[in-house]
Amino acid sequence: MRRLPPLTAIEAFVQVARLGSIKAAAEELALSSPALSRRVQSLERFIGKPLFERRHQALKLNDDGDRLLGLIAPALDAMTDAVEAMTSGGELLRLRLGVLPLYATQQLLPRLPELKRRHPELHLDVDTAGYGMTRLGDGLDAAIVIARDIDPGFYSKRLDRNRVHVIGAKALVEGPDPVTRPEQLSKLTALVHRDMPETFTAWRAAAGFPDLEPLAIDHFDSGNLMLEAAAQGLGVAFMLEAHFEAARDDRLVRLFDLTVESQYSYWFVCRPRALGQRPVRIFHDWLIESLGADGV
């Protein structure tokens, strides 16, 4: 049998190549940066040529490294799948998914029957406790989060692009003094999600009212509660267009005929290494297809 380099050296090379950083790859593999560097260097000695262009704070594959990655990464992923299949206790696959309650209610749960028909072996542990990004790899395999952007140390896929709507109770547009002008927000409370803290300030700037101040700004950590608070007349909610449309609540109306692009999107996020795990990859591929998110 032909001699092969240590598998640990190959694994280190693939992670550094995918993440572009010794530090990020070391964190992913639970190693120190010097230990990871030694593994990469041992593979380069075995191959007999450098595999990276070394820069100040990053590594970039050179032509030889790019060629090697294309040849061995699929084999390493296949080995990972094989080990998972042998240790998963049969055909059952389980994914620990963090997701915000409103997204789960409006977008995920209505689609899950199709996922179950396609992959009856895949089971989800759904966690709506929040702080999904910080718990990846420690309680969660993947998460669907709302954010302006994602730390490049994670794998991420944008799931949508949206507009901000001002959502209020129908009673606000009925009666003797209907709310028809943004200036009238000075007498109303703005409802803002804690994960989208800049929504109101970005909306007023884009709408052309940079100095507009509401009566107060109340923060919520639940989109469902924001919609209910708006329906009860407790304030006006600054939320995504998709939230309003999916709510289908006759008590709610969109205020103002203004189009303001949102700075926030929903993202699928996981650690790069997790994407090689079969449950994560199945869910990821299905979600992107289901949402038609490839062109986002």
Side-chain angles (χ1 to χ4, degrees):
M1 180 179 292
R2 289 176 294 176
R3 190 167 62 95
L4 294 173
L7 183 59
T8 53
I10 295 175
E11 182 183 40
F13 162 73
V14 170
Q15 288 302 322
V16 174
R18 286 174 169 170
L19 295 177
S21 162
I22 287 284
K23 181 180 178 181
E27 291 176 354
E28 187 68 27
L29 296 177
L31 294 169
S32 68
S33 293
L36 189 78
S37 295
R38 288 193 293 271
R39 292 186 181 186
V40 172
Q41 289 164 6
S42 72
L43 180 63
E44 290 179 318
R45 288 195 298 271
F46 188 94
I47 298 293
K49 58 185 69 175
L51 301 171
F52 293 95
E53 296 176 9
R54 283 161 169 83
R55 300 178 178 178
H56 178 54
Q57 290 185 334
L59 296 177
K60 184 179 185 298
L61 286 173
N62 60 24
D63 290 342
D64 288 322
D66 191 58
R67 180 168 177 264
L68 181 62
L69 180 66
L71 291 171
I72 68 174
L76 188 64
D77 290 341
M79 291 172 60
T80 301
D81 284 347
V83 172
E84 285 183 2
M86 294 299 295
T87 59
S88 63
E91 293 300 316
L92 183 69
L93 299 175
R94 188 165 297 279
L95 174 71
R96 301 170 300 171
L97 178 70
V99 59
L100 293 172
L102 186 60
Y103 191 89
T105 301
Q106 292 187 338
Q107 301 295 335
L108 185 60
L109 289 177
R111 292 178 165 87
L112 283 184
E114 171 61 22
L115 176 63
K116 180 60 67 176
R117 283 191 291 271
R118 288 197 194 185
H119 298 283
E121 75 281 10
L122 180 63
H123 292 259
L124 302 185
D125 289 339
V126 177
D127 189 324
T128 61
Y131 303 102
M133 292 278 292
T134 62
R135 299 166 58 209
L136 289 172
D138 183 18
L140 296 178
D141 301 311
I144 298 174
V145 303
I146 193 164
R148 295 180 63 172
D149 46 42
I150 303 297
D151 186 314
F154 293 98
Y155 169 84
S156 63
K157 175 66 179 178
R158 190 193 299 268
L159 301 179
D160 69 356
R161 293 187 186 273
N162 236 298
R163 295 179 292 183
V164 178
H165 277 4
V166 185
I167 304 169
K170 186 180 291 186
L172 291 175
V173 297
E174 298 173 342
D177 187 24
V179 176
T180 59
R181 294 173 291 108
E183 298 94 316
Q184 293 171 281
L185 289 176
S186 62
K187 298 180 181 180
L188 297 170
T189 297
L191 310 178
V192 176
H193 198 285
R194 291 191 185 279
D195 287 343
M196 303 170 63
E198 299 172 28
T199 301
F200 170 70
T201 54
W203 178 88
R204 71 181 179 183
F209 300 90
D211 299 322
L212 179 64
E213 293 292 343
L215 181 66
I217 298 179
D218 292 352
H219 292 88
F220 286 68
D221 64 0
S222 166
N224 290 311
L225 290 181
M226 284 179 67
L227 289 171
E228 184 60 30
Q232 295 291 345
L234 301 179
V236 292
F238 287 77
M239 302 181 72
L240 299 184
E241 179 180 40
H243 295 150
F244 173 69
E245 293 179 347
R248 297 185 179 90
D249 190 330
D250 292 338
R251 300 172 299 167
L252 296 170
V253 294
R254 173 191 172 189
L255 302 176
F256 319 127
D257 188 19
L258 291 170
T259 298
V260 175
E261 297 299 319
S262 174
Q263 297 177 320
Y264 294 88
S265 295
Y266 281 102
W267 302 76
F268 173 91
V269 187
C270 67
R271 291 189 177 277
R273 190 182 188 189
L275 200 60
Q277 298 169 5
R278 190 161 173 247
V280 177
R281 193 165 64 250
I282 287 175
F283 181 82
H284 166 274
D285 293 349
W286 165 82
L287 184 65
I288 301 308
E289 179 186 345
S290 179
L291 295 174
D294 273 327
V296 173

